[in-house]
């Protein structure tokens, strides 16, 4: 089932059908509009309104007609969108169409895997085509702007929004953010199938203390520039149309009022010309943060910091005119914001056609989206354990397969977070996927009502089903609502009585395959030894069940790799592969466990290292990890040079062999270490990856081009900072995960 989602098909705008208008639509010049608009209209363009619970047309039409809102959010009835656009074009003072925003995060009606699952594909192509399909479905109802991708680096699995992220790594997040932007926006924003993307949340939102959503952050200047900002830079370089500010604060300044970052870094340094939108209500929240005393001050702070558009709240509409009269905000600030907003509307072609696309193409769009959802789900599945080659199950040898668990037949829960418009009726559950392939051989038991249930009353039937079968597929994890915004968890074990269920099923002595559906890395130490095989499926989306069935039954070989470290215990968090070495890095010979400490042992600092006494110092599964049904061997690492000048590019190549008897795909990963620099640098950093398909027995040399640009890092000077390329010896590693030891060294000289 491989086919690109080609969205280049011709669409028939429904302008004539939906807006019975004779007004010829022409695109005015921004300059002419700005000089003709009243101040109230200009400020109106800076306001993004939501209809709340009411009828969107009834609620929003008066303001649209008056020209006091320029954008709307959460209106997805195509008739309502069309009517509001008609009013904007025909009845508002200057006929300016509306931006129509919606959180189209990982699909619209057809749902792709959650972004963290998409990241596990390590495949920009899948991410791009998923976004393309989502844009096509969303533009059918008139949405022209999405609030994605979220590119917050996420190193804390307690944080509920890790589900929306591309994980912990900078390079992977940069590549996938850029791909998602390209998917949503296409080559031309004015294409009726394109929507404007939004890089969010600028910046540092993922560093919320203790993973508690919205909590404050503590990010050093080095981390900000080397870790949190680069994905935004990558999005800007890919032409992202908009950027959303973060709810969090950064070194004392809430992101929504952070002029040094918005006007400074984003606009002046990077040359971003698109719009900046606040997050929902984040302007009045400047007062809750304690940066402003009231809405008036909050509006002034956000406008001056460079926030062009206010989402959901109304402080701009209520206070900017007075602030201008009082000389607190200049007309230049307002005109610049309005110029950017109008330019986006022009770029989107809205002055020509702001209306929803032709509904007759819906079936076509959905069909393409479902293929893309399947391809993406398939590559997102990470095989974490497979003792005694339990997987793949042999369909012909199986007489009876027990499919058990609260998430086994849950078309809705498998979609994950942020699926406002997702259609659970399109989902294929794991049970359905398996039953299609093993008709009449599946015995299904739910065992627990939900992933959180503690009631064991369903265990008996589940154990009987397991006992009657040749093998058990246990589909467990987290319901969709346990991750996402404001859904952080302090305990990231499998919730409810699921671990007890796993242990009980284990007692039947049948081979047990766990399939875990979740919005984050869960701590699996308390159950991993109770199963023979484990597939981590994230929330895999509409086509998840089909993809999972294909992998379990051997019609496809798993190839996903972890985009995030799996800790053994929540107390290890944050735990990420690209950490600093510290002066006392742990190693097996240096760690001591709690039970090994003699009673009344005297305190000493000799031989100590950075670890916890009560848990192994390594993660349960490292970043980049993922097994296959075949084996890949790496050897003959070679470098094109041992010495490089500052403008040179190094070719790093390795021989990879599929030594098993099945075809498979491997994600080959390239890491770099800068062991000595003028500031301490991470133990390793990902600098390249390639997905390589190899037939059984095939051997291939895979080459990476490593530019010296990739060796640069940001160093703060106390008064600002600079990107530096420092000469010295570097180590390079290539392999199938972040712990690979196949390495070589080269030297970078300064000339
Ligand atoms: C979230 C944003 C989202 C916005 C609009 C906020 O609460 O933080 O990511 O785009 O709501 O729904």
């Amino acid at each position: 089932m491989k086919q690109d989602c080609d969205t280049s098909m011709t669409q028939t705008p429904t302008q004539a059908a939906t807006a019975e208008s004779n007004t010829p639509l022409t695109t005015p010049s921004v300059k002419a509009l700005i000089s003709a608009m009243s101040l109230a209209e200009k400020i109106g363009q800076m306001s993004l309104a939501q209809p709340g619970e009411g009828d969107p047309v009834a609620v929003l039409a008066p303001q649209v007609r008056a020209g006091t809102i320029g954008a709307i959010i959460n209106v997805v009835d195509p008739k309502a969108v069309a009517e509001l656009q008609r009013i904007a074009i025909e009845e508002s003072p200057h006929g300016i169409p509306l931006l129509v925003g919606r959180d189209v995060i990982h699909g619209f009606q057809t749902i792709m895997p959650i972004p963290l699952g998409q990241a596990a594909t390590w495949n920009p192509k899948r991410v791009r085509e998923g976004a393309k399909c989502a844009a096509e479905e969303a533009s059918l109802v008139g949405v022209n702007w999405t609030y994605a991708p979220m590119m917050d680096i996420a190193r804390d699995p307690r944080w509920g929004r890790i589900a929306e992220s591309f994980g912990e790594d900078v390079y992977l997040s940069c590549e996938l953010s850029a791909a998602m932007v390209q998917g949503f926006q296409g080559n031309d924003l004015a294409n009726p199938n394109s929507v404007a993307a939004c890089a969010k949340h600028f910046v540092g939102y993922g560093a919320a203390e203790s993973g508690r959503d919205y909590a404050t952050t503590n990010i050093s200047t080095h981390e900000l520039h080397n870790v949190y900002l680069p994905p935004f830079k990558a999005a800007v370089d890919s032409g992202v149309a908009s950027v959303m500010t973060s709810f969090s604060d950064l070194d004392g300044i809430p992101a929504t009022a952070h002029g040094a970052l918005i006007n400074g870094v984003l606009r002046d340094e990077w040359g971003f010309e698109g719009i900046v939108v606040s997050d929902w209500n984040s302007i009045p929240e400047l007062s809750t943060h304690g940066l402003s005393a009231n809405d008036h001050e909050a509006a002034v702070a956000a406008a001056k910091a460079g926030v062009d558009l206010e989402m959901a709240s109304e402080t701009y509409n209520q206070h900017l005119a007075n602030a201008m009269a009082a000389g607190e905000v200049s007309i230049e600030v307002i005109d610049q914001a309005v110029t950017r907003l109008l330019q986006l509307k022009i770029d989107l072609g809205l002055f020509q056609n702001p209306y929803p696309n032709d509904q007759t193409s819906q079936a076509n769009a959905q069909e393409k989206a479902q293929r893309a959802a399947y391809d993406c789900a398939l590559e997102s599945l990470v095989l974490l354990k497979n003792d005694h080659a339990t997987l793949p199950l042999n369909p012909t040898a199986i007489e009876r397969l027990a499919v058990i668990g609260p998430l086994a037949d849950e078309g809705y829960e498998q979609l994950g977070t942020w699926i406002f418009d997702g259609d659970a009726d399109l989902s294929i559950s794991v049970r359905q996927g398996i039953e299609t392939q093993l008709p009449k051989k599946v015995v299904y038991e739910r065992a627990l009502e939900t992933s959180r249930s503690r009631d064991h009353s369903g265990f008996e039937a589940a154990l009987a089903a397991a006992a009657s079968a040749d093998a058990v597929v246990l589909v467990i994890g987290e319901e969709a609502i346990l991750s996402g915004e404001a859904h952080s968890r302090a305990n990231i074990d499998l919730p409810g009585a699921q671990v007890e269920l796993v242990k009980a099923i284990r007692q039947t002595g049948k081979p047990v395959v766990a399939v875990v559906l979740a919005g984050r890395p869960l701590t699996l130490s308390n159950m991993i030894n109770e199963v023979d095989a484990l597939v981590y499926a994230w929330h895999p989306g509409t086509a998840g069940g089909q993809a999972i069935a294909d992998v379990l039954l051997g019609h496809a070989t798993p190839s996903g790799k972890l985009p995030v470290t799996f800790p053994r215990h929540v107390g290890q968090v944050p735990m990420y592969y690209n950490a600093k070495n510290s002066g006392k890095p742990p190693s097996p010979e240096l760690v001591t466990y709690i039970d090994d400490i003699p009673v009344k042992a005297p305190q000493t600092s000799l031989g100590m290292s950075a670890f916890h006494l009560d848990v192994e110092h390594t993660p349960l599964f490292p970043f980049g990890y993922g097994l296959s049904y075949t084996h890949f061997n790496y050897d003959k690492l070679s470098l094109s040079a041992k010495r490089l000048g500052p403008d040179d590019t190094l070719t790093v190549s390795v021989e990879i062999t599929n030594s098993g008897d099945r075809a498979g795909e491997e994600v080959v990963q390239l890491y770099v270490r800068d062991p000595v620099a003028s500031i301490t640098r991470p133990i390793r950093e990902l600098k390249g990856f390639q997905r390589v398909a190899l037939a059984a027995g095939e051997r291939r040399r895979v080459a990476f081009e490593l530019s010296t640009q990739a060796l640069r890092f940001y160093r703060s000077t106390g008064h600002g900072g600079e990107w530096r390329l420092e000469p010295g010896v570097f180590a390079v590693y290539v392999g199938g995960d972040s712990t690979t030891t196949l390495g070589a060294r080269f030297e970078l000289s300064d000339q």
Side-chain angles (χ1 to χ4, degrees), residues 343-549:
Q343 189 58 51
L344 176 56
K345 293 179 179 187
I346 291 172
D347 294 347
L348 280 164
L350 299 182
F351 283 93
Q352 295 302 315
N353 174 20
Y355 298 109
N357 282 346
D358 182 357
Q359 301 296 304
T360 57
S361 57
Q362 189 188 22
N364 190 352
Q366 263 184 13
E367 200 187 313
K368 281 188 283 181
Q370 277 163 24
R371 275 197 298 268
Y374 171 84
D375 289 342
C376 190
L378 188 62
E379 292 184 7
S380 76
L381 302 177
V382 187
L383 180 64
L384 291 179
K385 178 176 180 180
N386 194 17
D387 281 0
H388 326 297
T390 304
L391 287 176
L393 300 169
N394 179 350
T396 49
I398 286 186
E399 292 292 318
R400 204 171 164 87
L401 182 66
V403 176
I404 296 174
L407 298 179
D409 199 19
E410 270 301 336
Y412 173 77
E413 301 298 349
Q414 73 189 41
L415 300 182
T417 185
W418 283 115
I419 47 127
F420 287 157
D421 306 285
D423 183 350
D425 290 342
L426 299 174
S427 288
I428 297 163
S429 72
V430 181
R431 175 192 179 184
Q432 288 169 327
I434 297 177
E435 275 178 350
T436 310
Q437 296 195 29
L438 294 180
K440 304 209 177 87
K441 289 185 174 180
V442 171
V443 47
Y444 163 70
E445 282 297 333
R446 195 174 179 95
L448 289 162
E449 193 44 39
T450 71
S451 69
R452 286 171 283 166
S453 306
R454 300 201 166 277
D455 174 5
H456 286 213
S457 56
F459 277 29
E460 201 181 321
L463 290 174
S468 75
D470 303 309
V472 182
V473 173
L474 254 180
V475 191
I476 50 183
E478 280 182 327
E479 296 149 71
I481 197 63
L482 297 187
S483 60
E485 184 174 354
H487 285 76
S488 299
R489 295 181 60 201
N491 174 351
I492 52 170
D493 287 347
L494 281 165
Q498 294 184 98
V499 173
E500 286 143 86
L501 175 65
V502 175
K503 289 183 176 163
I505 297 287
R506 183 61 164 178
Q507 295 308 313
T508 63
K510 298 298 166 103
V512 181
V513 176
V515 176
V516 179
L517 272 51
R520 57 163 62 77
L522 295 172
T523 35
L524 303 172
S525 303
N526 56 5
M527 54 75 73
I528 192 79
N529 295 330
E530 311 287 339
V531 299
D532 299 288
L534 192 145
V535 174
Y536 214 81
W538 320 99
H539 285 132
T542 305
Q546 200 181 351
I548 290 167

Side-chain angles (χ1 to χ4, degrees), residues 73 103 147 161 200-201 244 247 279-280 311 418 485:
I73 179 172
D103 290 282
Y147 305 116
R161 300 195 82 168
K200 72 187 191 186
H201 303 87
M244 186 188 296
F247 282 129
D279 202 346
W280 189 280
M311 186 193 291
W418 283 115
E485 184 174 354

Side-chain angles (χ1 to χ4, degrees), residues 572-646:
Q572 293 175 299
V573 166
M575 189 177 214
Y576 47 95
Y577 86 95
N578 43 0
K580 300 290 187 68
N581 208 29
S582 87
K584 296 183 192 295
S587 60
E589 62 284 3
L590 285 179
V591 301
T592 312
Y593 292 103
I594 201 157
D595 295 334
D596 304 332
I597 306 173
V599 176
K600 301 230 165 39
Q603 184 78 30
T604 169
S605 54
L606 289 181
M608 297 299 191
S609 73
F611 65 96
H612 297 100
L613 290 176
D614 42 8
V615 60
E616 276 180 58
H617 68 285
T618 53
L620 187 61
F621 298 108
F623 175 82
Y625 182 79
L627 302 169
S628 170
Y629 292 158
T630 184
H631 296 282
F632 299 102
N633 297 334
Y634 291 80
D635 66 5
K636 304 204 177 114
L637 178 66
S638 113
L639 306 185
S640 58
K642 283 280 170 200
R643 222 181 137 81
L644 290 187

Side-chain angles (χ1 to χ4, degrees), residues 240-243 266-267 271-276 306 308 337 340-341 344:
V240 74
S242 67
V243 170
L266 185 63
R267 292 210 168 101
F272 175 63
E273 291 179 348
I275 65 163
V276 174
D308 303 314
R340 291 189 280 255
L341 285 155
L344 176 56

